Amino acid sequence: MPAWLTVVGIGEDGFAGLGRAARRALLEASVVYGGERHLAMLPARLAARRAAWPKPFDLAPLLAERNGAVESAGAVCVLASGDPMLFGVGATLARQLPAGELRVLPAPSSLSLAAARLGWPLQDVATVSLVGRPLPTLNAHLHDGARVFVLSADGRTPAALAELLNARGFGATRMTVLEHLGGESERCIDGRADQWSAGDVAALNLIALECRATEGAPRLPLTTGLPDDAFRHDGQLTKRDVRAITLARLAPTPGELLWDVGAGSGSIGIEWMRAHPTCRAIAIEGHAERQRFIEHNRDALGVPGLQLVAGRAPDALEGLAVPDAVFIGGGVTVPGVLDACWARLRGGGRLVANAVTLQGEASLVAWRKQYGGTLTRIALADAQPLGGFDTWRQALPITLLDVTKPVHHTDVTAIVNAANSASSTSGTLTTSADSPQP
C-alpha cells in the first residue's frame, strides 16, 4: 500500500519556512490534521479541510481516514512541531502504521535549534521530556557537570524546575530558557536555579541546564548499588552490596519488564529502571507504609513510572503484564509465590530470589532441585570498632537463587494449576522474615 499519510514538521517560521516537498504535500492534501496553533500557520489558499486534534488527544479520527484516502487516492497530512519523530506524533503514528503507509518530512527540532544557539554538541546532551510526564523524571539525570535539554510542559515548567533543582541540591545550576525557537518572537532567559525569578514564560519553551551540585547534594552513580541512605525505608531494604549482586543476576536490558515481588522500599525495581530509560518495573507490596516509601523513592530517584501494585502475592499477580524477570525479595516460604512467579515468567526469563532464614533457604534448595538454577551464598562483613581496635562484624548471610526459565517450558499448565490452588490458601506475602537485611 502506498503512503497515504504525510507528517510535516513545521517550525515557528510557519509555512514560509517549509521545504518544497512539505509545501507540495500540504497543497495537494485533502485534509490536514494538527493542533490549532499549527493549523493557523497555513495560508488561506490551501484547499484542504483543516481538522484540529480532539481534546483529549485521540488518533482515531485520523486513522479513520485511511480507507477513504486509499480508495480516492486523496492525501492526508498531519502537522507537527519540528521533528515529528522526536517525542512527537510521528513516533506515535509509526507504532500504529506500517512504514510504507507513512511519510515523514521533518523540520529542525527544538533540540537542534537550542544546540545551535548555545554551541553545545547535541550528542553530548541528555534530553528529558516533561510533556505529559511527571517533573521527578528529571531526577535521574541530575549529575554534577551534566548538560540537559528539558522539553517543557508549559510556561510554568521553568519555575517548577528551579524549585526542584534547589530541593535536590542543584541550586547552582545554570538555566537557559529558550522561547519560540526559530520564530520572530524567539527569546532567551538566563539565570541560576537558586536565583530564578522569571515566573511564567511563554508556553512554548525549552530549558537548557548546566547542572552544578552544591555541597551536600546527593551523588547518585550510574552503576547499580546506590547508597542505602538514598532510599527511605524501615529496614526492609536489600542492602547495597547484595543489591548490586542481585541486579547483576537479574541482568536488565532495554525494554524489559521486572516484577519486584515483596518490594519493601522498591530499591530493586528502582535500580532496574535506572539501568535504561526503557526498562519497566512493577513493585508488588502489601504493607501500606512501605507503599508510601516506594512512592517517595521512585520520584526522588527519577523513575516515577515505576508501577506500584498494593497487594500480596500470589493473589496480587493476577492480570499483570508478563515479566521478563522476577525478583522475590520476601515471601519465598509463602505457599504459591515461587510457583506463581515461575508460571507467569516468559520463556527465557530470569527468576532471582533471596532468603535470609533457614526456612527460606530450604525453599530455595527444594526449588533448585526441581527446576535447576544456581545457589549462591553471600557473606559480607564490615570493619567496626571493638574497644580501642577494629574487628569484622558479620552481616546475616544471604542465599540467592538464580534460574532461567527454558524457552519451551512443558509444565506450564501444572504450575499454573498449583499456583491457583495455593493462592486460595491463607498464605500471604510478607517482607519481614525473608527480606535481605545484612
Side-chain angles (χ1 to χ4, degrees), residues 142-146 170 211-214:
L142 295 181
H143 304 282
D144 191 36
F170 282 81
C211 297
R212 292 290 181 269
T214 54

Side-chain angles (χ1 to χ4, degrees), residues 21-63:
R23 292 198 301 270
R24 182 172 180 177
L26 291 167
L27 288 167
E28 294 178 351
S30 59
V31 57
V32 179
Y33 280 79
E36 294 177 358
R37 181 177 67 87
H38 290 142
L39 293 176
M41 295 177 176
L42 299 178
R45 69 177 184 274
L46 259 70
R49 174 170 59 90
R50 292 152 171 81
W53 292 119
K55 297 178 181 179
F57 178 79
D58 188 359
L59 286 176
L62 169 66
L63 296 177

